Amino acid sequence: MLLHLALLFLLSIAGATSLGINYGQIGNNLPPPDKVLDMLIALRITKVRIYDTNPQVLSAFANSKIDLIVTIENQMLAELMNPQQALQWVTTRIKPYVPATQITEIAVGNEVFSENDMTLMETLVPAMLSIHAALTQLGLSFIKLSTPSSLAVLEESYPPSAGSFKPEITGIMTQFLEFLSRTKAPFWINAYPYFAYKDDPNGIPLEYVLCNPNPGMVDPFTRLHYDNMLYAQADAVYFAMAKMGFEGIEVRISETGWPSKGDPNENGATIQNAANYNRNLLRRQMANEGTPMRPNVRLEIYLFALFNENLKPGPTSERNYGLYQPDGTMAYNVGLSSFKRTSSISLTSSAPTKGGIMGYYRSLVYWMFVYLLTYQVFMRRRF
């Protein structure tokens, strides 16, 4: 109970308004949407992404003041290239719920550029154009359109200044970036430092991928210092876009997370690492951090995921990214696993914060959070 109060206090006072969460539903034991909404409100989470346009979720979230990103499944893109089909889709799937449900963005597909399916890729921009026209026709042009991509969209990502898109998608990527630039929509990226560590645990420092204190790395060309891989990955996307002539598009993290459990060959998939990673992201969001390349633009992040989803296919890790179990209990204690290391954790960074006074209050909130966690440990040991 104290942990929930600590999280609630931390989020409400610090104002982590840029922190969102992915609400996946690939499970047969998940709570109903109205119960999920209660959890989100209690935790002061104000930004949520779902992977469809589930009418039960859209109805439940009405009048909740939660900004919602909905998703169009990849297999629907070919059909929605047709302007009439797009108009019908928006008329039936979006318009009935707005404005009561605050749908702010539509993710048109997911990781389309990573499917190695050129036919699918070629449907993306035409579908976006048709949907955008339908939104405009229906008075919903305030809803932004983009598509989340995985890091596989990049030919190079290290160092960040070497960031570049795969040459075979240059034509489609140019059209996509032109659309984002014209509509002032963000470039969403699904970025998982965990995957890099899993594949090369001996070559990549764990502290660097967990966003723990570490020496970091310096980009040899820009001389920018990076103390974590997530920021380096985001900046690699900025550099890739700049090389194509697009420098005004904001990069946002549509998915990032760390599994709390994995198969024997899934290096680093532990409760301690998951707690460290997500806790560190929350701390950085409190500090309003941007990346070294965009220090004055707070990096918007959506954690993956709200729940462990028991029907997700693939290795064990795929079913263990959740902050919560389906019964509403925490999958792990965010912050508690790194309690013994708090004396070495600094709240300062290379990115500026919004003034010394706000920094003081964030530090105060942080140490109050640690105090509550310490008290919880003491009480558990006592009884």
Side-chain angles (χ1 to χ4, degrees):
M1 179 64 181
L2 281 174
L3 178 64
H4 285 275
L5 290 173
L7 271 173
L8 176 61
F9 185 73
L10 188 69
L11 288 167
S12 60
I13 299 297
T17 56
S18 195
L19 182 68
I21 198 158
N22 287 275
Y23 168 25
Q25 302 165 65
I26 307 178
N28 59 9
N29 56 356
L30 298 175
D34 60 324
K35 300 299 182 184
V36 173
L37 178 62
D38 290 341
M39 290 179 60
L40 296 170
I41 291 174
L43 290 172
R44 298 295 194 269
I45 298 294
T46 60
K47 298 184 178 183
V48 175
R49 176 189 172 205
I50 61 175
Y51 291 84
D52 52 22
T53 52
N54 186 330
Q56 291 182 324
V57 174
L58 299 185
S59 296
F61 278 49
N63 304 309
S64 66
K65 297 184 179 180
I66 289 178
D67 290 344
L68 194 63
I69 300 175
V70 301
T71 304
I72 300 172
E73 296 88 340
N74 288 357
Q75 62 269 23
M76 294 183 60
L77 299 191
E79 178 182 345
L80 295 180
M81 292 170 62
N82 184 305
Q84 286 304 118
Q85 293 295 326
L87 180 60
Q88 181 179 356
W89 185 88
V90 173
T91 300
T92 58
R93 299 292 188 93
I94 302 297
K95 188 172 176 55
Y97 303 98
V98 177
T101 301
Q102 293 181 186
I103 299 174
T104 58
E105 298 186 46
I106 299 174
V108 184
N110 186 52
E111 299 190 350
V112 171
F113 290 110
S114 306
E115 293 289 333
N116 294 320
D117 183 345
M118 190 57 68
T119 301
L120 174 63
M121 295 182 204
E122 290 173 348
T123 66
L124 177 63
V125 175
M128 296 180 80
L129 290 170
S130 293
I131 297 164
H132 180 68
L135 289 169
T136 301
Q137 181 176 337
L138 295 172
L140 304 174
S141 58
F142 59 87
I143 298 176
K144 300 295 185 182
L145 299 176
S146 188
T147 189
S149 296
S150 77
L151 281 172
V153 76
L154 297 178
E155 178 74 9
E156 298 287 345
S157 62
Y158 182 86
S161 60
S164 61
F165 292 113
K166 289 184 173 179
E168 60 267 28
I169 63 171
T170 299
I172 298 174
M173 182 58 68
T174 300
Q175 298 172 26
F176 174 60
L177 295 178
E178 287 174 347
F179 177 86
L180 296 185
S181 179
R182 186 172 68 255
T183 60
K184 296 180 170 50
F187 189 108
W188 288 103
I189 190 79
N190 296 339
Y192 288 87
Y194 160 72
F195 290 137
Y197 178 78
K198 176 180 72 72
D199 294 339
D200 187 13
N202 296 320
I204 297 178
L206 180 60
E207 305 305 310
Y208 179 65
V209 293
L210 289 178
C211 306
N212 280 337
N214 70 94
M217 59 83 67
V218 175
D219 189 301
F221 300 101
T222 63
R223 307 309 299 172
L224 292 173
H225 176 260
Y226 292 86
D227 65 359
N228 71 86
M229 182 177 285
L230 183 66
Y231 287 7
Q233 291 173 335
D235 274 358
V237 178
Y238 273 122
F239 277 104
M241 291 193 294
K243 288 172 184 174
M244 296 185 66
F246 297 90
E247 298 190 21
I249 300 172
E250 182 182 350
V251 173
R252 298 179 183 175
I253 307 297
S254 41
E255 287 182 19
T256 191
W258 198 286
S260 58
K261 185 179 179 181
D263 294 322
N265 65 339
E266 294 189 285
N267 299 296
T270 68
I271 288 178
Q272 181 179 10
N273 288 341
N276 267 322
Y277 184 72
N278 286 308
R279 171 196 172 279
N280 285 337
L281 288 184
L282 175 59
R283 177 175 62 85
R284 289 172 181 272
Q285 290 281 280
M286 287 170 55
N288 289 325
E289 284 191 358
T291 69
M293 188 179 179
R294 294 286 188 272
N296 297 316
V297 179
R298 184 179 186 174
L299 182 64
E300 185 160 329
I301 295 174
Y302 279 67
L303 293 181
F304 185 87
L306 183 58
F307 294 110
N308 284 337
E309 300 169 66
N310 68 339
L311 296 184
K312 290 199 72 175
T316 298
S317 62
E318 287 294 318
R319 293 175 289 283
N320 288 278
Y321 274 92
L323 299 181
Y324 284 86
Q325 302 287 2
D327 64 2
T329 60
M330 297 193 78
Y332 48 82
N333 212 334
V334 177
L336 187 59
S337 62
S338 47
F339 166 68
K340 293 181 180 179
R341 304 150 66 97
T342 52
S343 60
S344 66
I345 293 178
S346 171
L347 287 177
T348 62
S349 72
S350 58
T353 60
K354 294 182 178 178
I357 296 214
M358 285 305 295
Y360 167 78
Y361 282 114
R362 289 191 185 96
S363 297
L364 178 63
V365 169
Y366 170 74
W367 287 112
M368 291 182 70
F369 181 54
V370 170
Y371 172 80
L372 288 171
L373 292 174
T374 308
Y375 180 77
Q376 184 185 46
V377 172
F378 172 77
M379 294 300 292
R380 284 184 176 178
R381 288 180 177 174
R382 183 177 178 184
F383 297 103

